[in-house]
Amino acid sequence: MIRTQRLVAGVCALLAALMAGIAFPAGAVADETGANAPQVDLVLDVSGSMRTKDIDGKSRMAAAKQAFNEVLDATPPEVRLGIRTLGANYPGDDRKTGCRDTAQLYPVGPLDRTEAKTAVATLTPTGWTPIGPALLKAADDLGGGTGSKRIVLISDGQDTCAPLDPCEVARDIAAKGIGLTIDTLGLVPDVTLRRQLSCIAEATGGTFTSVERTDQLTDKVNQLVDRAADPVVTPVAASGADACAKAPTLKSGLYTDREAFGEQRWYRVDVRPGRELRAAVSVSADRPVDPSYGVLLRAVTAKGREIVRGEAAGTGRTDVISTGLRYPKAESDDDTAPAEAVCLQVTHSFSAASGVEAGPGLPLELTVDVVDGPSRPADVASFGLGRGWWLLGALILAGFLAGAVRGWLSRWRVAVWRTN
């Protein structure tokens, strides 16, 4: 009897241990999934102007509520979604109080559709339009984690809380290097509103869209929420130095930094013999700049000798300019040969337009990749085409011969036609 009881107790203990062993890894996986989950914070303007009835014969607020309900139904399960309002609670005339009127309506996290819809249904157009303060709070709503972070701002009017400029707020958020993107949607086809919302979006690499119908609003918000769920490579924040000797050492990856006007940024990459360094940099103008500009990427030795460079120039047609370079390190017979320290220098010639804030610096994105070097030196000398030059030459010759034959046949046909 005693043996039977001990056997039963042992089996129960074993089962409990097995269940605990299963449960804890599951919890760990859940935590990891939550940390990597994409996050979206919908920021909705609930100011008094949202009462205006000019969207499909109903108020802007009613159109926004309908769009939100449809978006909540279609939100992918892996997305952590939240809702923040601005101008929803204070109806008075005190500017100081009105510019603090932003609240988290639904916290960023796993979505309870019924609860979120109930919260949206309670909204009534009320007060001011504190876009800048709302963006600052929304950035805090998203918190940590390594997944993508996106703010979707929906507004029908300009910020009413200057001098806290929403564009400057967006630039400051982007300068933190947390990989947060702000997309903006304007409910009024107004030039001034478009300019402000476009500036906010461009500061973080987001998009601006003007919407005038409920279905447009629904489709665009759904698109942005779905985009957040797509796998993306999140750049790692790096802080370049002002000299090669102080430069941080980077490994293969995607990095983001800020570079002030007239500044140089230095980074270091270790390249072993038989390996090839490939680097590319993009600098974007997140504010109005003068029309002529350029970007220079140089690879130099630790002693300052230039190895190779890449450069590009722009004339105002695009707000992003990119260039790149390749540097193959020759093989060595010595297996213990040390890696070579290669310094990358990034310089741009953007200049701020008159009356535009110079800080923070312009965003730059640096891609570094160290791969196996080419087996033949001619591959690099031939601009990466290698033996492809033979094929290119053959295609050119074939095209020339085909053109000559076609021309001869055309002349022969004309001559026969004239004779007949």
Side-chain angles (χ1 to χ4, degrees):
M1 182 68 179
I2 294 175
R3 288 182 178 178
T4 302
Q5 291 177 344
R6 288 178 177 175
L7 180 60
V8 172
V11 172
C12 291
L14 180 60
L15 289 174
L18 289 174
M19 292 299 292
I22 294 173
F24 282 114
V29 171
D31 290 343
E32 182 179 351
T33 303
N36 297 328
Q39 303 178 67
V40 179
D41 205 8
L42 304 178
V43 179
L44 179 61
D45 181 353
V46 196
S47 60
S49 58
M50 290 290 284
R51 299 190 189 96
T52 306
K53 296 183 178 181
D54 58 359
I55 299 182
D56 297 337
K58 54 190 173 185
S59 70
R60 299 169 186 171
M61 190 73 249
K65 287 182 178 181
Q66 179 180 334
F68 267 47
N69 285 336
E70 296 180 23
V71 168
L72 293 172
D73 286 333
T75 299
E78 66 271 22
V79 174
R80 302 294 185 260
L81 186 138
I83 303 172
R84 172 168 286 277
T85 62
L86 59 96
N89 300 311
Y90 177 69
D93 297 328
D94 183 64
R95 183 176 177 278
K96 187 175 181 180
T97 303
C99 288
R100 291 197 300 263
D101 185 10
T102 176
Q104 192 178 54
L105 184 70
Y106 185 83
V108 177
L111 181 61
D112 183 327
R113 289 175 171 78
T114 302
E115 184 178 345
K117 288 181 180 181
T118 302
V120 171
T122 64
L123 295 176
T124 302
T126 302
W128 296 62
T129 312
I131 293 178
L135 292 178
L136 288 173
K137 293 292 185 181
D140 294 337
D141 293 344
L142 295 172
T146 57
S148 64
K149 302 178 182 68
R150 188 175 295 272
I151 294 173
V152 180
L153 170 65
I154 303 163
S155 178
D156 71 335
Q158 300 177 64
D159 179 89
T160 54
C161 293
L164 185 60
D165 186 355
C167 288
E168 297 300 328
V169 169
R171 290 172 192 149
D172 289 340
I173 290 173
K176 294 178 181 179
I178 58 177
L180 190 156
T181 303
I182 303 176
D183 298 289
T184 58
L185 289 86
L187 302 182
V188 176
D190 179 76
V191 174
T192 307
L193 174 63
R194 179 188 183 91
R195 187 180 299 117
Q196 185 175 83
L197 295 183
S198 296
C199 178
I200 294 171
E202 290 169 1
T204 61
T207 59
F208 164 76
T209 306
S210 179
V211 294
E212 299 180 26
R213 300 196 312 272
T214 306
D215 59 341
Q216 287 181 329
L217 179 60
T218 303
D219 292 344
K220 187 60 182 179
V221 178
N222 267 327
Q223 177 187 347
L224 296 173
V225 173
D226 289 341
R227 187 179 298 172
D230 293 338
V232 295
V233 178
T234 303
V236 177
S239 182
D242 58 0
C244 176
K246 306 175 186 177
T249 301
L250 306 181
K251 298 184 181 297
S252 294
L254 181 63
Y255 300 90
T256 183
D257 199 357
R258 287 265 168 174
E259 185 174 25
F261 295 100
E263 185 182 27
Q264 298 179 359
R265 304 295 275 176
W266 289 85
Y267 311 88
R268 169 177 163 161
V269 182
D270 293 332
V271 184
R272 300 192 63 82
R275 305 281 283 172
E276 180 180 293
L277 167 64
R278 299 177 181 179
V281 66
S282 297
V283 181
S284 59
D286 61 356
R287 69 206 73 175
V289 295
D290 293 329
S292 296
Y293 45 76
V295 61
L296 171 66
L297 176 64
R298 297 173 64 230
V300 302
T301 65
K303 295 183 179 180
R305 178 179 63 84
E306 181 175 302
I307 303 171
V308 65
R309 66 166 54 195
E311 53 190 336
T315 56
R317 290 190 172 187
T318 176
D319 56 1
V320 179
I321 188 168
S322 306
T323 189
L325 56 80
R326 295 174 61 184
Y327 168 55
K329 176 72 176 172
E331 294 272 5
S332 175
D333 296 331
D334 185 2
D335 295 336
T336 62
E340 178 184 7
V342 177
C343 286
L344 297 175
Q345 177 196 16
V346 180
T347 308
H348 70 75
S349 58
F350 283 94
S351 57
S354 177
V356 175
E357 291 288 337
L362 297 183
L364 69 84
E365 198 168 79
L366 178 66
T367 303
V368 175
D369 200 8
V370 181
V371 300
D372 291 333
S375 58
R376 292 167 51 89
D379 288 348
V380 178
S382 301
F383 302 98
L385 287 176
R387 296 180 182 178
W389 279 109
W390 293 98
L391 176 60
L392 183 60
L395 290 174
I396 293 174
L397 180 60
F400 174 77
L401 292 175
V405 171
R406 182 182 179 87
W408 180 81
L409 288 174
S410 298
R411 294 185 63 183
W412 176 77
R413 291 177 62 185
V414 170
V416 171
W417 174 76
R418 287 178 177 175
T419 302
N420 292 335

